[in-house]
Structure formats: structure tokens, C-alpha cells
Amino acid sequence: MCRNIKTLFNFEPPATEAEIQASALQFVRKLSGFNTPSQANDAAFARAVEEVADAARRLLTSLQTQAPPRDREIEAAKARERSAARFGPR
């Protein structure tokens, strides 16, 4: 899976529309192998991004958990720590 796609469920505040769109775009880019599609494929690419974003929205609104919402800043700090441990400080 593409490393740029972030977990969007169970955060406070909830995932924004921009985050959902960005994840959908990354997913479609990964599947298609195109960073930017040609003009011939642009409509199909854009349609796929919208369909994936719609599916992601439906999924996020239907999921349930008993766990408390995670804090974005704390999760980002943990990710930075993992990255530093793996690749060294930057």
C-alpha cells in the first residue's frame, strides 16, 4: 500500500474532505501507475478518484469503535519518532 495514504478513522477532529480526496488521489495514482494521467485518461482518472473518495466517505461514516479518538499531533509525533529510528534524524 502506498505510504502516503494515512489512516483517517477515529481521529478528533474527524477527517476533512481534503484528507479524503488526497487519500483517494494517492490510491488511484498507485493503482494506475500515473502521477498525472494523459488527456486521453483524464476523465477516467478523475472519475476513479471521485468514486474512491465516495467509498472512503461511506466507510468512515459507517465504522464504529469503542476506542477513544486519537490525537493527530500525538500520532504525528509517533510517526516522526519511528522515522528517526528507521532512517536517522534529519
Side-chain angles (χ1 to χ4, degrees), residues 78-90:
K78 288 179 187 177
R80 284 190 296 273
E81 288 175 14
R82 286 190 302 270
S83 179
R86 184 174 180 189
F87 301 111
R90 293 183 185 216

Side-chain angles (χ1 to χ4, degrees), residues 8-81:
L8 299 178
F9 177 63
N10 198 29
F11 279 99
E12 192 58 46
T16 65
E17 183 59 30
E19 290 171 316
I20 293 170
Q21 284 294 122
S23 290
L25 177 61
Q26 286 297 326
F27 184 73
V28 172
R29 283 178 173 168
K30 186 70 170 184
L31 286 178
S32 68
F34 298 130
N35 190 32
T36 305
S38 66
Q39 286 182 342
N41 293 321
D42 192 48
F45 191 89
R47 185 173 52 252
V49 171
E50 282 307 311
E51 290 173 359
V52 170
D54 289 343
R57 250 182 254 102
R58 285 192 307 274
L59 174 65
L60 291 173
T61 58
S62 66
L63 292 174
Q64 299 178 9
T65 185
Q66 296 298 317
R70 294 177 281 178
D71 183 283
R72 291 178 189 282
E73 292 302 319
I74 292 172
E75 295 300 319
K78 288 179 187 177
R80 284 190 296 273
E81 288 175 14

